[in-house]
Each structure stands twice: as structure tokens, then as C-alpha cells.
Amino acid sequence: MGTALSLQINKILFKVACNEKNCCFVTSKGLTANPDGIHIDSISQRKFGLRYYEAFSQQKHVLDILDTEQEWIEKEAKRELTKNESIYVQSMRFALG
């Protein structure tokens, strides 16, 4: 996402966030795009969510990658699935043969 256009858009979004009350900018730095080149992959979505939470809870801009992102992603990947998550996984396996 490092094209000249996206850099210009990010500058505009940052400027808006700085001038609006209760508004924070969150960077997409280091996130990975899906093959379509438009959307981000699931791990990047989780990282983006962590950044949004940080911005919301601290009421500050998130201008760089959070130090705890990778640790949180690894911890989350190892956790036991909830009952509903397990049902969903089994349903998908069944549906896909």
C-alpha cells in the first residue's frame, strides 16, 4: 500500500484526524494486502483492529506498528476455540467436503 496516491490520501486523513475532535489516525504501515491488492489479509485485519483499539482507548494517533502486535497474534492463534467457533469450523469442513 505504498503507492504515491495512498501516501497522499494518508496525509489528508492524518490532517483531518488532527483537526477533528475525538478523531485519531491509525496507520496501515506493515499490513499485507490480499491478492486483489485492495483488501488486507486476516492477520492484517487483526493487527489493524489492535491499532484501532489502541487509538480509541488511549485517544491518540497510532503512527507506527505496535510493539505487542506479533505477540498478541501468536497468542490468539494458540488459544482454544469457543463452542461457536468450533461449530463454525466443523460446518465449513463439512460444507467443503
Side-chain angles (χ1 to χ4, degrees), residues 1 10 17 22 24 26 35 37 40 44-45 48-49 52 54-55 63 70-71 74 78 80 84-85 87 94:
M1 293 188 192
N10 280 335
N22 298 320
C24 295
V26 176
I40 56 177
S44 292
Q45 289 176 25
F48 221 11
Y52 275 109
E54 179 75 10
L63 304 176
Q70 194 58 39
E71 177 185 333
E74 289 170 8
K78 293 176 185 174
E80 188 173 329
N84 286 339
E85 289 169 332
I87 291 169
F94 180 74

mmCIF file of all heavy atoms in Angstrom, residues 1 10 17 22 24 26 35 37 40 44-45 48-49 52 54-55 63 70-71 74 78 80 84-85 87 94:
data_model
loop_
_atom_site.group_PDB
_atom_site.id
_atom_site.type_symbol
_atom_site.label_atom_id
_atom_site.label_comp_id
_atom_site.label_asym_id
_atom_site.label_seq_id
_atom_site.Cartn_x
_atom_site.Cartn_y
_atom_site.Cartn_z
ATOM 1 N N MET A 1 0.821 -1.192 0.000
ATOM 2 C CA MET A 1 0.000 0.000 0.000
ATOM 3 C C MET A 1 0.865 1.255 0.000
ATOM 4 O O MET A 1 0.489 2.270 0.552
ATOM 5 C CB MET A 1 -0.912 -0.006 1.226
ATOM 6 C CG MET A 1 -1.943 -1.080 1.220
ATOM 7 S SD MET A 1 -3.086 -0.826 2.583
ATOM 8 C CE MET A 1 -3.901 -2.373 2.532
ATOM 9 N N ASN A 10 -3.266 9.232 2.849
ATOM 10 C CA ASN A 10 -2.934 9.148 4.272
ATOM 11 C C ASN A 10 -2.594 10.507 4.861
ATOM 12 O O ASN A 10 -2.941 10.797 6.007
ATOM 13 C CB ASN A 10 -1.793 8.156 4.506
ATOM 14 C CG ASN A 10 -2.272 6.726 4.497
ATOM 15 O OD1 ASN A 10 -3.434 6.441 4.779
ATOM 16 N ND2 ASN A 10 -1.380 5.816 4.176
ATOM 17 N N ALA A 17 -7.788 14.031 10.854
ATOM 18 C CA ALA A 17 -7.806 13.482 12.213
ATOM 19 C C ALA A 17 -7.232 14.471 13.223
ATOM 20 O O ALA A 17 -7.693 14.527 14.368
ATOM 21 C CB ALA A 17 -7.041 12.166 12.262
ATOM 22 N N ASN A 22 -12.227 14.237 18.833
ATOM 23 C CA ASN A 22 -12.473 12.803 19.029
ATOM 24 C C ASN A 22 -12.182 11.967 17.782
ATOM 25 O O ASN A 22 -12.909 11.036 17.454
ATOM 26 C CB ASN A 22 -13.902 12.552 19.497
ATOM 27 C CG ASN A 22 -14.176 13.193 20.826
ATOM 28 O OD1 ASN A 22 -13.332 13.178 21.721
ATOM 29 N ND2 ASN A 22 -15.340 13.794 20.966
ATOM 30 N N CYS A 24 -8.900 10.066 15.591
ATOM 31 C CA CYS A 24 -7.497 9.663 15.593
ATOM 32 C C CYS A 24 -7.144 8.982 14.285
ATOM 33 O O CYS A 24 -7.970 8.329 13.670
ATOM 34 C CB CYS A 24 -7.216 8.698 16.752
ATOM 35 S SG CYS A 24 -7.426 9.428 18.369
ATOM 36 N N VAL A 26 -4.929 6.091 12.336
ATOM 37 C CA VAL A 26 -4.314 4.793 12.570
ATOM 38 C C VAL A 26 -3.601 4.362 11.287
ATOM 39 O O VAL A 26 -4.218 4.309 10.225
ATOM 40 C CB VAL A 26 -5.375 3.739 12.987
ATOM 41 C CG1 VAL A 26 -4.742 2.372 13.142
ATOM 42 C CG2 VAL A 26 -6.078 4.154 14.264
ATOM 43 N N PRO A 35 -4.416 -10.887 -2.521
ATOM 44 C CA PRO A 35 -4.032 -10.884 -3.937
ATOM 45 C C PRO A 35 -4.774 -9.839 -4.783
ATOM 46 O O PRO A 35 -4.258 -9.406 -5.806
ATOM 47 C CB PRO A 35 -4.380 -12.304 -4.405
ATOM 48 C CG PRO A 35 -4.248 -13.143 -3.171
ATOM 49 C CD PRO A 35 -4.733 -12.245 -2.056
ATOM 50 N N GLY A 37 -5.092 -6.842 -4.109
ATOM 51 C CA GLY A 37 -4.380 -5.579 -3.988
ATOM 52 C C GLY A 37 -5.195 -4.462 -3.362
ATOM 53 O O GLY A 37 -4.725 -3.333 -3.265
ATOM 54 N N ILE A 40 -7.000 -6.108 2.892
ATOM 55 C CA ILE A 40 -5.902 -6.675 3.658
ATOM 56 C C ILE A 40 -6.261 -8.075 4.136
ATOM 57 O O ILE A 40 -7.433 -8.403 4.290
ATOM 58 C CB ILE A 40 -5.506 -5.770 4.846
ATOM 59 C CG1 ILE A 40 -6.691 -5.481 5.774
ATOM 60 C CG2 ILE A 40 -4.886 -4.475 4.351
ATOM 61 C CD1 ILE A 40 -6.364 -4.661 7.009
ATOM 62 N N SER A 44 -3.595 -9.108 9.019
ATOM 63 C CA SER A 44 -3.506 -7.642 8.976
ATOM 64 C C SER A 44 -4.770 -6.993 9.518
ATOM 65 O O SER A 44 -4.704 -5.951 10.177
ATOM 66 C CB SER A 44 -3.238 -7.170 7.544
ATOM 67 O OG SER A 44 -1.935 -7.558 7.145
ATOM 68 N N GLN A 45 -5.927 -7.610 9.276
ATOM 69 C CA GLN A 45 -7.177 -7.088 9.838
ATOM 70 C C GLN A 45 -7.123 -7.110 11.359
ATOM 71 O O GLN A 45 -7.553 -6.165 12.018
ATOM 72 C CB GLN A 45 -8.370 -7.893 9.338
ATOM 73 C CG GLN A 45 -8.676 -7.669 7.882
ATOM 74 C CD GLN A 45 -9.798 -8.563 7.387
ATOM 75 O OE1 GLN A 45 -10.645 -9.008 8.145
ATOM 76 N NE2 GLN A 45 -9.794 -8.837 6.096
ATOM 77 N N PHE A 48 -4.787 -4.369 12.485
ATOM 78 C CA PHE A 48 -5.472 -3.085 12.330
ATOM 79 C C PHE A 48 -6.449 -2.871 13.490
ATOM 80 O O PHE A 48 -6.546 -1.785 14.042
ATOM 81 C CB PHE A 48 -6.210 -3.056 10.992
ATOM 82 C CG PHE A 48 -6.132 -1.751 10.255
ATOM 83 C CD1 PHE A 48 -5.287 -0.725 10.617
ATOM 84 C CD2 PHE A 48 -6.934 -1.556 9.136
ATOM 85 C CE1 PHE A 48 -5.237 0.465 9.909
ATOM 86 C CE2 PHE A 48 -6.900 -0.376 8.420
ATOM 87 C CZ PHE A 48 -6.035 0.639 8.807
ATOM 88 N N GLY A 49 -7.161 -3.939 13.859
ATOM 89 C CA GLY A 49 -8.087 -3.862 14.984
ATOM 90 C C GLY A 49 -7.382 -3.500 16.280
ATOM 91 O O GLY A 49 -7.882 -2.692 17.073
ATOM 92 N N TYR A 52 -6.618 0.165 16.106
ATOM 93 C CA TYR A 52 -7.824 0.965 16.347
ATOM 94 C C TYR A 52 -8.178 0.983 17.830
ATOM 95 O O TYR A 52 -8.564 2.005 18.378
ATOM 96 C CB TYR A 52 -9.009 0.447 15.527
ATOM 97 C CG TYR A 52 -9.054 0.999 14.130
ATOM 98 C CD1 TYR A 52 -8.768 0.189 13.036
ATOM 99 C CD2 TYR A 52 -9.376 2.326 13.889
ATOM 100 C CE1 TYR A 52 -8.809 0.694 11.751
ATOM 101 C CE2 TYR A 52 -9.416 2.837 12.612
ATOM 102 C CZ TYR A 52 -9.128 2.014 11.543
ATOM 103 O OH TYR A 52 -9.158 2.520 10.279
ATOM 104 N N GLU A 54 -6.104 0.620 20.321
ATOM 105 C CA GLU A 54 -5.105 1.481 20.977
ATOM 106 C C GLU A 54 -5.462 2.952 20.793
ATOM 107 O O GLU A 54 -5.433 3.730 21.739
ATOM 108 C CB GLU A 54 -3.715 1.193 20.402
ATOM 109 C CG GLU A 54 -2.602 2.029 20.976
ATOM 110 C CD GLU A 54 -2.182 1.629 22.376
ATOM 111 O OE1 GLU A 54 -2.623 0.564 22.875
ATOM 112 O OE2 GLU A 54 -1.410 2.383 22.984
ATOM 113 N N ALA A 55 -5.803 3.334 19.579
ATOM 114 C CA ALA A 55 -6.172 4.729 19.307
ATOM 115 C C ALA A 55 -7.407 5.131 20.101
ATOM 116 O O ALA A 55 -7.451 6.206 20.701
ATOM 117 C CB ALA A 55 -6.414 4.930 17.814
ATOM 118 N N LEU A 63 0.786 5.917 14.859
ATOM 119 C CA LEU A 63 1.568 6.255 13.670
ATOM 120 C C LEU A 63 2.559 5.185 13.267
ATOM 121 O O LEU A 63 3.227 5.312 12.238
ATOM 122 C CB LEU A 63 2.301 7.578 13.908
ATOM 123 C CG LEU A 63 1.404 8.760 14.300
ATOM 124 C CD1 LEU A 63 2.251 9.988 14.603
ATOM 125 C CD2 LEU A 63 0.380 9.049 13.221
ATOM 126 N N GLN A 70 2.643 -8.653 17.166
ATOM 127 C CA GLN A 70 3.005 -10.017 16.799
ATOM 128 C C GLN A 70 2.784 -10.973 17.969
ATOM 129 O O GLN A 70 2.289 -12.083 17.789
ATOM 130 C CB GLN A 70 4.461 -10.086 16.308
ATOM 131 C CG GLN A 70 4.787 -11.387 15.613
ATOM 132 C CD GLN A 70 3.880 -11.664 14.411
ATOM 133 O OE1 GLN A 70 3.519 -10.782 13.642
ATOM 134 N NE2 GLN A 70 3.507 -12.922 14.260
ATOM 135 N N GLU A 71 3.128 -10.542 19.158
ATOM 136 C CA GLU A 71 2.920 -11.365 20.359
ATOM 137 C C GLU A 71 1.436 -11.692 20.538
ATOM 138 O O GLU A 71 1.061 -12.825 20.816
ATOM 139 C CB GLU A 71 3.447 -10.628 21.584
ATOM 140 C CG GLU A 71 3.243 -11.331 22.892
ATOM 141 C CD GLU A 71 3.675 -10.480 24.074
ATOM 142 O OE1 GLU A 71 4.554 -9.604 23.918
ATOM 143 O OE2 GLU A 71 3.121 -10.686 25.167
ATOM 144 N N GLU A 74 0.226 -14.229 17.829
ATOM 145 C CA GLU A 74 0.685 -15.590 18.132
ATOM 146 C C GLU A 74 -0.105 -16.191 19.289
ATOM 147 O O GLU A 74 -0.497 -17.361 19.240
ATOM 148 C CB GLU A 74 2.177 -15.571 18.441
ATOM 149 C CG GLU A 74 3.032 -15.302 17.218
ATOM 150 C CD GLU A 74 4.488 -15.040 17.536
ATOM 151 O OE1 GLU A 74 4.901 -15.204 18.713
ATOM 152 O OE2 GLU A 74 5.233 -14.667 16.612
ATOM 153 N N LYS A 78 -3.023 -19.556 19.218
ATOM 154 C CA LYS A 78 -2.854 -20.767 20.024
ATOM 155 C C LYS A 78 -4.016 -21.027 20.981
ATOM 156 O O LYS A 78 -4.082 -22.081 21.583
ATOM 157 C CB LYS A 78 -1.564 -20.676 20.831
ATOM 158 C CG LYS A 78 -0.320 -20.690 19.981
ATOM 159 C CD LYS A 78 0.917 -20.502 20.825
ATOM 160 C CE LYS A 78 2.151 -20.388 19.948
ATOM 161 N NZ LYS A 78 3.343 -20.066 20.712
ATOM 162 N N GLU A 80 -7.713 -21.845 22.619
ATOM 163 C CA GLU A 80 -8.746 -22.826 22.336
ATOM 164 C C GLU A 80 -9.963 -22.121 21.737
ATOM 165 O O GLU A 80 -10.345 -21.030 22.188
ATOM 166 C CB GLU A 80 -9.145 -23.537 23.636
ATOM 167 C CG GLU A 80 -10.066 -24.710 23.432
ATOM 168 C CD GLU A 80 -10.299 -25.482 24.726
ATOM 169 O OE1 GLU A 80 -9.380 -25.517 25.562
ATOM 170 O OE2 GLU A 80 -11.408 -26.027 24.874
ATOM 171 N N ASN A 84 -18.960 -21.945 19.730
ATOM 172 C CA ASN A 84 -19.492 -21.436 18.455
ATOM 173 C C ASN A 84 -18.442 -21.446 17.347
ATOM 174 O O ASN A 84 -18.751 -21.752 16.189
ATOM 175 C CB ASN A 84 -20.070 -20.039 18.638
ATOM 176 C CG ASN A 84 -21.382 -20.044 19.362
ATOM 177 O OD1 ASN A 84 -22.078 -21.055 19.411
ATOM 178 N ND2 ASN A 84 -21.738 -18.920 19.952
ATOM 179 N N GLU A 85 -17.209 -21.107 17.684
ATOM 180 C CA GLU A 85 -16.145 -21.146 16.683
ATOM 181 C C GLU A 85 -15.905 -22.580 16.209
ATOM 182 O O GLU A 85 -15.720 -22.821 15.011
ATOM 183 C CB GLU A 85 -14.851 -20.563 17.262
ATOM 184 C CG GLU A 85 -14.902 -19.065 17.458
ATOM 185 C CD GLU A 85 -13.730 -18.535 18.261
ATOM 186 O OE1 GLU A 85 -13.165 -19.271 19.091
ATOM 187 O OE2 GLU A 85 -13.395 -17.341 18.081
ATOM 188 N N ILE A 87 -18.066 -25.041 16.169
ATOM 189 C CA ILE A 87 -19.213 -25.416 15.326
ATOM 190 C C ILE A 87 -19.042 -24.845 13.920
ATOM 191 O O ILE A 87 -19.266 -25.531 12.918
ATOM 192 C CB ILE A 87 -20.539 -24.955 15.960
ATOM 193 C CG1 ILE A 87 -20.823 -25.767 17.226
ATOM 194 C CG2 ILE A 87 -21.703 -25.055 14.971
ATOM 195 C CD1 ILE A 87 -21.963 -25.221 18.072
ATOM 196 N N PHE A 94 -17.439 -29.584 6.760
ATOM 197 C CA PHE A 94 -18.486 -30.419 6.204
ATOM 198 C C PHE A 94 -18.951 -29.890 4.848
ATOM 199 O O PHE A 94 -19.096 -30.640 3.882
ATOM 200 C CB PHE A 94 -19.677 -30.501 7.175
ATOM 201 C CG PHE A 94 -20.817 -31.336 6.681
ATOM 202 C CD1 PHE A 94 -20.730 -32.725 6.663
ATOM 203 C CD2 PHE A 94 -21.986 -30.730 6.226
ATOM 204 C CE1 PHE A 94 -21.781 -33.490 6.192
ATOM 205 C CE2 PHE A 94 -23.045 -31.503 5.749
ATOM 206 C CZ PHE A 94 -22.932 -32.886 5.747
#
